[in-house]
Amino acid sequence: MMGVARGGGAAAALVLTERVTTAHALLVKITAELNEPDLFQSGGRTAPCIGWHLWHIARWADVMQASLPEATPTLAERLGSRPQIWHARRLAAAWGLDPQSLGHREAGSQMEDESTLSMRFPGADALADYASDAFGAADDAVRALDGVALDEACEHFYGTQVGTTTVAYCVQFHAIHAYRHLGSIEALRGLLGMAGTATG
């Protein structure tokens, strides 16, 4: 079993839920005030725009909320079927994007630099709507977790990781990933001459 992170009971479930929901709230907050030129301006040859980072984490939040019910029988019973919003709304087609260019699980991981830099979004409002809905769905899903559910074994459903682990590890992985990209957005805001921190 790879990198097991165990839940540790109700207190750990509350902490992990707070970490995930706070990351999502900060991502919405730090991007909401940006105009489209700032949101979609590249930071350099290997640095995708702020909008890409927001989309990327929203995609993984969407993957997570849809994957949790499939992870264990306990979560299947609690959460029921939860399709990805991205797929249910056929947003790749609606946004004029080629799913084959969007990396692992159409979520941005393993995308080529050229693909991230050339990716075109339909606009700030459409991106913000998707991110808000994906984060909201993920927040609802993680609020259903408790110590028992977190300690259950599951196949890793996040990113390019594979192997058997625990629900806690997968959700923790998402929280870490979200904060990494929040930091990237903060740095890009700084390059644009804005206050970088999401909590200031």
Side-chain angles (χ1 to χ4, degrees):
M1 184 178 287
M2 64 173 293
V4 176
R6 297 211 171 270
L14 288 172
V15 169
L16 193 51
T17 298
E18 187 272 339
R19 293 291 184 268
V20 170
T21 58
T22 297
H24 293 163
L26 290 173
L27 284 158
V28 169
K29 173 187 173 184
I30 201 171
T31 55
E33 67 185 31
L34 298 178
N35 58 37
E36 291 203 3
D38 289 339
L39 189 63
F40 299 126
Q41 178 177 322
S42 169
R45 186 175 58 83
T46 59
C49 65
I50 289 172
W52 184 90
H53 288 280
L54 178 63
W55 169 81
H56 176 57
I57 291 301
R59 282 295 298 121
W60 279 114
D62 198 359
V63 170
M64 182 179 71
Q65 67 88 19
S67 298
L68 280 172
E70 302 170 356
T72 73
T74 298
L75 291 176
E77 182 177 349
R78 290 184 190 179
L79 294 170
S81 177
R82 298 173 66 95
Q84 287 189 42
I85 296 166
W86 181 258
H87 293 151
R89 297 181 186 172
R90 301 181 180 181
L91 289 180
W95 291 9
L97 300 172
D98 176 8
Q100 298 300 315
S101 73
L102 300 178
H104 183 61
R105 301 193 72 169
E106 297 178 41
S109 296
Q110 298 182 332
M111 279 183 75
E112 298 291 336
D113 288 338
E114 293 81 3
S115 295
T116 64
L117 295 177
S118 64
M119 187 173 173
R120 294 295 175 261
F121 296 94
D125 290 343
L127 175 58
D129 287 346
Y130 172 64
S132 178
D133 291 346
F135 292 150
D139 291 350
D140 288 343
V142 297
R143 289 188 181 107
L145 301 175
D146 58 15
V148 172
L150 288 175
D151 279 345
E152 289 186 314
C154 69
E155 293 303 306
H156 206 304
F157 55 76
Y158 198 93
T160 56
Q161 304 291 314
V162 295
T164 303
T165 183
T166 63
V167 173
Y169 184 91
C170 292
V171 177
Q172 175 182 273
F173 195 100
H174 175 73
I176 292 168
H177 189 197
Y179 280 106
R180 282 180 52 211
H181 285 277
L182 176 63
S184 295
I185 292 172
E186 290 177 324
L188 289 167
R189 282 175 56 100
L191 290 175
L192 292 170
M194 304 176 185
T197 179
T199 57

